[in-house]
Amino acid sequence: MKRIKENKKHNIESNTSNNPLTSSSGSDLDHVDEDLLEEPEINSNSNNNNNNNNNNNNNNNNNNQEEENKPPDINQSNNRENSEELETTLAPQTPPPSYFEVVNNIEPPLQISSSETESPTHSLDSSDNSNTVGSDINKSDKENEKSSIDKDNNNNNNNNNNNNNNNIDNNIDSNNNNNNQGNSGNNINNNNKPITEIEMSNFRSNQSVSLLHDRPSKTWFSTIKNQLIPTSGDINAVFSVVLDNLANIASLVGILQGAYGMPIDLVTRYFIAGPALAVMIGSIALSCYAIYLDYHEKDPSVHYTAIPVGLDAPSTIGLPLLVIGPAYQLAINNGSSVADATNSAWLVGCTTVFLIGAFKVLLTLMSFAQKQFHPVGKAGALAGIGLSLLGLNELLTIIEEPVVGWVSLWILLLILIHRQNKHGETVGISLPFNLSGVLLSALIGSAIYYFMAGIDISVNPMPSGVTDNYELNYPHPSNIFKAFADTIKQNISIAIPYAILVNIGSLTITDSANNVGNAYNTRWVLLIDSFSTIIGSFFGSTVQTTPYIGHTVFHTNFKARSGYSLISGLIIGLGGFFGYLGFLTKILPKPAIIPIFIFIAFEICSETFHNTKGIKPHHCAAVVWSFFPSLFQFCNIYIGQISPVLSNCITDPQSVAKALNLQPSLIQSLGNIMIMAHGFICTSLFWGTALAYILDNRLKKASIFLAITGVLTFFGVIHSVNPNGEVYVPWQSGSTIPYQWTAGYFLIAAITFAFSFIKAKPIHSTITDEIGAIQAGDSFYSKSF
């Protein structure tokens, strides 16, 4: 079929007087379906012929006048019904549309071949309709360009006596399928079936190749040069990533030194170089991956930004509090020297990180088990960590220096948090030169601190001896298998949930990267992160790595590429070797650089409630329910630092009452807090999942997770009665509490399963609906009242 070009507007107006659709007589309108006149998406064309078709146009006008006194064709309605079954297919791109049409989603004209008309799925006329006359047009040329589907209307076929009317716009040509039936008269074809998504996708895929066939071939050298030469956006991204990692390292050092009393020289020797090396490996690997994808990218308008890598904030704070610090205290209590206790705690931390990395690999390759957890359980557990360890715990550090902490925090929030104006528009602040808000708040807070410390009005005095014990460092190889058995027994309930949570976060980050056009493979990103964590654990890393959430900002706002990731990885990695990371943690006031964790906590919790796939408004109760174990863990952290005697509140409450002279009810409450805190991440995962499935009216599946929770409780994976949270067989625990907790879980699992056989009835949402239901005789509401 040939495509007919659109006529000029003055040619259209010159022929409308003889057209039935534009005639003012009522008899003319009787032959036309009035719905066609009111259809907003129908574009009718007029006088689309070239100079060679002028005679045919006159004949067609005469035919229209002769048809005015004839009764309407009864096949018109049949024709419309048949046209709804019309199926159109896209032909090869000849000629290809312009780049503007493809970018703006303007569909190309259909090219119908004769072979396609023979298909049983098509009812298209294969004749060459070279002479057509349009009926009317009420839309401007600009509106016609935006139309996606054109209808056929009152066009004369010069090669066929059937006068089939085809309305042809600038996008799609279609034929009247009643020509094969030999019907005379003006058959009107409308409401054609739209092009399917598969057809449009195939067309655009072919057109992408056509549009890019003239593009100069991309070389590895040009790609690497384009990706690695830093821009202003790369420099700003470097500051954001480096400061975020520096804040993590400062928190790690502060917890081990301040909360547990480890010597600062041993902390900087063992606990900084390993994590820095892991970050450098992950950053270089993901930079290379971004370069590889950019080299193979066919679309020149797409630029690739490397996914940032850094230390995982929840584990950076959680592992020192849950694993390393308690292991250090246990070694000291067993009579080890400070140096030996530090080395022992360091090995336990490295082994735990190795377990986390190994579980991340397994979860990446075997995703079936992970998919069984409800999104509420997975996201709620991560949000609980954000609320308690990143939020509450770090807020205590910020307010150690109130003026510095509050100013730094508030400047950061004013810059980073988006607001809404009275019109409902999202607004925010853009700093000059895309300056990082994290850097600006840290600089202002540090300046305020040193000014106040200089005139001796700060809470904490001016740091002294910051260059003492400054030495070059290196990642110390760790013999993780020396502490492997004890670590599995003590920390398996911590390693698995941390692996699950980081994998979930990595999936979200990769999805957001794909949404902005960076086609990262999720499995490869997860594997790169997993092996960075494992390699780091062999060289002294006590913190796992993770992809950072800043990719979308760096890509969209900063226009960064891979240079920032490589540079930040080298700065952090070499800082572990040359010792300047430890030096920076000494001179930078923590209240000035820690506020970024409060913002991260906000983002995690907000994403959980609003943007996590699979979480809906009715799941709010389950999300809040999954926060509770993390809050118990926050309390347990400080209970354990008050006195080591309190660790016996579960198994030997009498000794605690005798040593500290505490009330029995208080001791029991402290013991219950400890039970709830042990394995808190795993507890949040299962609690949130079970309640979410109940809210989804999937009670059988909820009962399964409750039963599994009982099994985990029986062996101390969660709710351990051991003071150190270790796993055990219950008959060796020295307490009957594991039996009681397990029996409780099994009982509620059975009750939930039994309730699954009781058919739930719809509940009206308002009092008016409930009263109406009662008046209608609904026995359910009658009994409720």
Side-chain angles (χ1 to χ4, degrees), residues 11 55 78 120 130 134 192 200 272 318 379 413 415 438-439 540 550 570 713 760:
N11 290 333
N55 294 331
N78 293 332
S130 60
N192 290 336
M200 198 64 235
I272 294 180
L413 296 182
I415 295 174
V438 180
L439 175 63
L570 290 175
T713 302

Side-chain angles (χ1 to χ4, degrees), residues 19-323:
N19 195 306
L21 288 179
T22 57
S23 175
S24 60
S25 64
S27 61
D28 293 335
L29 294 176
D30 292 337
H31 299 282
V32 182
D33 192 346
E34 293 180 356
D35 293 336
L36 295 176
L37 297 176
E38 298 176 358
E39 177 61 35
E41 294 183 359
I42 294 178
N43 294 329
S44 56
N45 294 319
S46 175
N47 204 18
N48 292 326
N49 302 312
N50 52 29
N51 294 331
N52 295 329
N53 297 323
N54 290 335
N55 294 331
N56 292 328
N57 291 340
N58 296 330
N59 293 334
N60 182 63
N61 293 334
N62 293 333
N63 290 336
N64 288 335
Q65 290 177 349
E66 292 175 1
E67 288 292 321
E68 288 180 359
N69 296 324
K70 293 182 180 181
D73 192 347
I74 61 174
N75 291 320
Q76 288 184 2
S77 60
N78 293 332
N79 181 44
R80 288 194 295 270
E81 295 174 358
N82 293 334
S83 66
E84 293 178 358
E85 301 175 359
L86 183 63
E87 187 118 357
T88 59
T89 57
L90 293 170
Q93 58 281 4
T94 50
S98 66
Y99 180 78
F100 173 81
E101 291 176 334
V102 174
V103 170
N104 292 279
N105 295 328
I106 298 177
E107 283 73 2
L110 284 180
Q111 302 293 335
I112 308 301
S113 64
S114 59
S115 60
E116 292 171 336
T117 63
E118 298 171 0
S119 172
T121 60
H122 295 79
S123 300
L124 300 177
D125 184 17
S126 60
S127 61
D128 184 7
N129 297 297
S130 60
N131 299 314
T132 60
V133 176
S135 60
D136 186 25
I137 184 165
N138 294 321
K139 294 185 178 180
S140 64
D141 294 337
K142 182 177 180 179
E143 291 173 331
N144 289 332
E145 287 179 356
K146 297 179 180 178
S147 301
S148 61
I149 298 177
D150 292 16
K151 309 299 180 178
D152 296 359
N153 190 12
N154 289 347
N155 292 319
N156 182 46
N157 185 352
N158 186 48
N159 297 327
N160 196 323
N161 293 329
N162 288 328
N163 293 330
N164 294 317
N165 299 312
N166 300 320
N167 178 31
I168 301 174
D169 200 3
N170 58 341
N171 293 328
I172 298 176
D173 294 342
S174 57
N175 282 325
N176 191 325
N177 66 345
N178 274 352
N179 288 335
N180 297 328
Q181 300 175 4
N183 295 322
S184 299
N186 297 320
N187 294 324
I188 301 174
N189 184 16
N190 62 63
N191 295 329
N192 290 336
K193 185 176 180 179
I195 301 174
T196 64
E197 293 183 3
I198 295 177
E199 291 170 336
M200 198 64 235
S201 176
N202 292 336
F203 172 79
R204 287 173 177 162
S205 177
N206 294 333
Q207 290 299 330
S208 297
V209 178
S210 174
L211 289 172
L212 300 174
H213 73 279
D214 292 331
R215 179 189 176 187
S217 59
K218 187 187 295 185
T219 64
W220 278 108
F221 177 78
S222 63
T223 303
I224 294 172
K225 179 181 177 181
N226 183 51
Q227 281 285 327
L228 296 186
I229 293 180
T231 63
S232 60
D234 286 299
I235 301 302
N236 289 320
V238 165
F239 280 119
S240 297
V241 174
V242 170
L243 282 175
D244 196 273
N245 282 279
L246 188 61
N248 278 294
I249 293 175
S251 296
L252 173 67
V253 173
I255 292 171
L256 295 178
Q257 181 192 9
Y260 294 98
M262 283 189 186
I264 185 62
D265 58 329
L266 296 178
V267 172
T268 55
R269 182 182 305 170
Y270 286 104
F271 292 92
I272 294 180
L277 176 65
V279 171
M280 184 173 69
I281 293 173
S283 298
I284 294 175
L286 281 178
S287 296
C288 293
Y289 186 29
I291 294 172
Y292 171 82
L293 293 176
D294 188 31
Y295 174 76
H296 290 89
E297 177 58 50
K298 302 296 184 182
D299 189 351
S301 65
V302 175
H303 81 273
Y304 271 81
T305 301
I307 294 179
V309 178
L311 300 178
D312 177 49
S315 61
T316 300
I317 298 171
L319 292 182
L321 292 171
L322 306 175
V323 175

Side-chain angles (χ1 to χ4, degrees), residues 587-770:
I587 65 172
L588 290 176
K590 293 180 180 62
I593 61 176
I594 292 298
I596 183 60
F597 290 123
I598 304 299
F599 175 74
I600 295 174
F602 288 169
E603 287 294 298
I604 293 174
C605 294
S606 177
E607 287 290 320
T608 300
F609 279 105
H610 298 295
N611 298 324
T612 301
K613 183 179 180 180
I615 297 183
K616 300 178 181 179
H618 71 274
H619 290 134
C620 287
V623 173
V624 175
W625 177 238
S626 65
F627 290 172
F628 285 9
S630 298
L631 298 176
F632 284 118
Q633 175 59 37
F634 173 74
C635 298
N636 186 48
I637 291 170
Y638 292 95
I639 291 174
Q641 296 178 26
I642 294 174
S643 173
V645 178
L646 292 175
S647 61
N648 297 320
C649 287
I650 303 173
T651 56
D652 191 8
Q654 291 80 14
S655 63
V656 177
K658 183 178 179 180
L660 301 178
N661 194 25
L662 299 177
Q663 295 294 325
S665 59
L666 178 59
I667 295 174
Q668 185 179 15
S669 297
L670 293 176
N672 289 333
I673 291 174
M674 295 177 185
I675 292 174
M676 292 296 302
H678 290 160
F680 73 101
I681 303 176
C682 199
T683 304
S684 296
L685 190 62
F686 279 87
W687 277 17
T689 297
L691 186 55
Y693 280 130
I694 290 175
L695 294 173
D696 287 341
N697 200 30
R698 302 173 67 182
L699 273 63
K700 290 185 176 66
K701 198 161 188 177
S703 65
I704 294 174
F705 276 91
L706 290 172
I708 295 174
T709 307
V711 174
L712 296 177
T713 302
F714 193 66
F715 294 102
V717 177
I718 61 175
H719 306 318
S720 174
V721 298
N722 186 281
N724 299 318
E726 297 179 3
V727 296
Y728 46 69
V729 287
W731 47 88
Q732 295 179 357
S733 64
S735 174
T736 61
I737 293 178
Y739 296 97
Q740 297 174 13
W741 278 73
T742 302
Y745 276 119
F746 283 161
L747 185 58
I748 63 175
I751 294 173
T752 304
F753 184 78
F755 265 76
S756 67
F757 295 98
I758 302 176
K759 185 177 181 180
K761 302 181 69 174
I763 299 178
H764 297 273
S765 59
T766 63
I767 295 295
T768 304
D769 291 339
E770 293 174 359

